Amino acid sequence: MPSLRDLAELVRAPAALSVPGDVVAGAAAADALDRRVPGLAGASVLLYWAGMAANDWADRELDARERPERPIPSGRVSPGLALGVSAGLTAAGIGLAGLAGGRRALAVAVPLAGAVWAYDLRAKNTPAGPAVMAACRGLDVLLGASGGRVVRAVPAALTVAAHTYTVTELSRREVSGATRTLPAATLAGTAAVAAAAVARRRTADPARPARHPDWRTLVPAALAGWYGLQYGTAQARVAADPQASRVRAAVGAGITGLPALQGALVARAGAALLGVAVAAAAPLGRRLARLVSPT
């Protein structure tokens, strides 16, 4: 019988701290920060954990050669149990999304679940893998926006998707190491993502009074800069020495640093304090990553 620690390692539990911010960023952008958000965030976490368990099930033979310490090849979790955990978490995630957000949330949660499984079972080891994973995180942002004006959350979804693309590209070299070209390209992408997180929305809501410059207007730039510094520094280290251990560290930085980017997006939408609260998950995620690897 696997322990709770074994199951936490299977689903990479600490990495889920990077997930609720997707939903909050989407809700903030779509003017839908209401009582539905906690339930949608919970659904997002369940679907994320489902994907992690399915990932290990699909990679069990590869992990037996390259990462034998993982829960399935080490014998701590059976393949059947891992698959069952993934299926159960998927059903629970979709169900919770429906309870929290109704049909509009289900219209996003079902394709999101399908994209997660498609990535794990088919796309991951193909050239389309990073794009499919990026689509998963973009849909996660739109899940948060499902109760409001979804079109207004599209820029935030694209920003999170672009970040995810860079992390996924790096993650494909966690075992073999990378060339210097890859981290240079992902670092340029990270700079563009950070800049996009600060860009103001062009279409103002006529129902809202104009905001005068104050400390809240500085929060998006501060959080985007924090994100860029943390993740960018890790990628620069890979560019200097592209060995596998540094690639894994950069992937971990991309995962645990995502809340800072999400916080910048939330603050850009006008919820500065909430953005800071979302970003606070970043240092907590780094601490927990020392106990259970997020990669």
Side-chain angles (χ1 to χ4, degrees):
M1 187 71 179
S3 66
L4 286 177
R5 183 181 178 86
D6 295 332
L7 293 175
E9 188 176 345
L10 176 71
V11 301
R12 296 168 176 82
L17 285 172
S18 73
V19 177
D22 285 346
V23 169
V24 177
D31 298 318
L33 285 171
D34 56 28
R35 59 182 177 79
R36 290 169 290 196
V37 172
L40 293 175
S44 175
V45 169
L46 292 173
L47 291 175
Y48 184 87
W49 281 340
M52 288 299 179
N55 175 78
D56 270 27
W57 179 83
D59 278 357
R60 61 194 185 281
E61 294 180 1
L62 179 64
D63 283 345
R65 298 191 301 272
E66 296 183 347
R67 305 181 75 177
E69 74 281 0
R70 292 293 302 159
I72 295 177
S74 67
R76 289 176 288 138
V77 176
S78 70
L81 178 60
L83 185 60
V85 166
S86 182
L89 288 170
T90 299
I94 292 174
L96 182 55
L99 288 173
R103 292 182 180 179
R104 294 186 65 178
L106 285 174
V108 182
V110 171
L112 171 57
V116 168
W117 280 86
Y119 174 81
D120 287 330
L121 300 185
R122 285 287 186 181
K124 178 169 52 181
N125 296 318
T126 73
V132 175
M133 178 53 70
C136 291
R137 293 305 288 242
L139 285 169
D140 204 30
V141 174
L142 296 182
L143 178 63
S146 60
R149 300 164 66 179
V150 176
V151 67
R152 296 188 65 174
V154 170
L158 292 175
T159 301
V160 172
H163 163 80
T164 304
Y165 191 98
T166 68
V167 176
T168 309
E169 279 286 7
L170 286 169
S171 72
R172 292 154 77 93
R173 301 292 183 270
E174 283 186 299
V175 175
S176 63
T179 64
R180 285 182 168 84
T181 303
L182 176 60
T186 59
L187 183 56
T190 298
V193 166
V198 178
R200 294 285 298 275
R201 297 191 298 192
R202 293 184 179 180
T203 55
D205 188 340
R208 288 182 174 178
R211 288 189 299 161
H212 298 289
D214 60 17
W215 67 269
R216 287 180 288 268
T217 65
L218 302 177
V219 173
L223 294 179
W226 182 24
Y227 153 78
L229 180 63
Q230 178 192 339
Y231 185 30
T233 299
Q235 292 172 86
R237 291 184 182 128
V238 178
D241 182 6
Q243 61 179 293
S245 62
R246 291 198 172 189
V247 175
R248 286 194 295 273
V251 172
I255 294 171
T256 60
L258 178 54
L261 174 63
Q262 296 160 336
L265 294 170
V266 173
R268 183 184 71 177
L273 289 177
L274 182 58
V276 172
V278 168
L284 178 58
R286 285 195 295 274
R287 286 176 177 270
L288 291 177
R290 297 171 188 167
L291 302 175
V292 179
S293 173
T295 70

